[in-house]
Every structure is written in structure tokens, then in C-alpha cells.
């Protein structure tokens, strides 16, 4: 595992942008020399799979879709998804009353 990949993780954890398109992150990584331009897709996929397993990034390999998204902060994604789910599936009034008793 290239050590420079962990520098990428430190940098992406410090910036405000947390959601990246696959193509945007690939271009950024090539420009900053975290991955090589030849076989950039393969290198970035290996990096994403590693960081996903380590819990740094959230990435689902949905190659059948045109745009793939990567979240570079798993905590950010979980917080945002919790907000969406609480609005969509918030407890009903009867359940809230039942839980308080």
C-alpha cells in the first residue's frame, strides 16, 4: 500500500468537500500524484476499496451507474443519512407516547 495514499486521506478529511464524483476524485488524485495516470481507474478503485474497508471512506462499487459518488468522511455520511431517515421515518405520535411511558 503506497504511504502517500494515507496523505490523501488526511487531506480529504480536512477539506469541507466530503462528497466527490468518481471522476473528480480521480482527476484530483492524478493532479496531486496520489495515483498514476496509466490505469488510474484501477488504482483509484484499489484505494477506495482499502479506505472503505478501513472505515475512512464510504464507497459502493456501482459501476453500472453513470456517476459514482464517494464520501470521504464516513461520519458525515452517517449523520446526513440519519437526518434524512429521521424525517422520512420519524416516530409516530403513538410510538413516541408509548416510548415515554
Amino acid at each position: 500500500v503506497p504511504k502517500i495514499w494515507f496523505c490523501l486521506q488526511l487531506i480529504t478529511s480536512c477539506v469541507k468537500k466530503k462528497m466527490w464524483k468518481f471522476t473528480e476524485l480521480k482527476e484530483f488524485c492524478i493532479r496531486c500524484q496520489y495515483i498514476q495516470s496509466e490505469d488510474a481507474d484501477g488504482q483509484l478503485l484499489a484505494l477506495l476499496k482499502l479506505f472503505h474497508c478501513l472505515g475512512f471512506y464510504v464507497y459502493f462499487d456501482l459501476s453500472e451507474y453513470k456517476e459514482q459518488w464517494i464520501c470521504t468522511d464516513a461520519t458525515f455520511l452517517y449523520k446526513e443519512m440519519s437526518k434524512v431517515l429521521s424525517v422520512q421515518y420519524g416516530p409516530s405520535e403513538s410510538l413516541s407516547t408509548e416510548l415515554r411511558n
Side-chain angles (χ1 to χ4, degrees):
V1 176
K3 293 177 185 175
I4 197 161
W5 284 6
F6 291 100
C7 294
L8 171 66
Q9 191 276 326
L10 290 173
I11 289 170
T12 56
S13 68
C14 295
V15 298
K16 285 187 178 185
K17 183 174 185 172
K18 300 298 179 191
M19 297 296 294
W20 297 71
K21 290 181 182 178
F22 183 88
T23 52
E24 291 174 335
L25 189 58
K26 180 174 78 172
E27 290 168 7
F28 175 77
C29 289
I30 291 171
R31 187 173 54 247
C32 296
Q33 299 180 351
Y34 294 115
I35 60 175
Q36 304 300 317
S37 58
E38 57 276 347
D39 190 34
D41 286 346
Q43 291 177 48
L44 185 57
L45 282 173
L47 181 148
L48 293 173
K49 288 177 183 178
L50 172 67
F51 283 1
H52 180 79
C53 289
L54 293 174
F56 297 146
Y57 289 4
V58 178
Y59 170 72
F60 301 100
D61 188 4
L62 304 172
S63 51
E64 65 269 9
Y65 295 103
K66 188 173 184 172
E67 287 295 337
Q68 298 180 56
W69 288 88
I70 297 105
C71 181
T72 57
D73 183 354
T75 306
F76 169 82
L77 182 67
Y78 300 141
K79 285 179 184 177
E80 293 303 310
M81 290 306 298
S82 295
K83 290 177 193 175
V84 169
L85 291 172
S86 69
V87 169
Q88 180 66 32
Y89 301 104
S92 65
E93 186 60 35
S94 61
L95 182 60
S96 297
T97 306
E98 194 175 305
L99 290 175
R100 279 188 242 137
N101 295 331

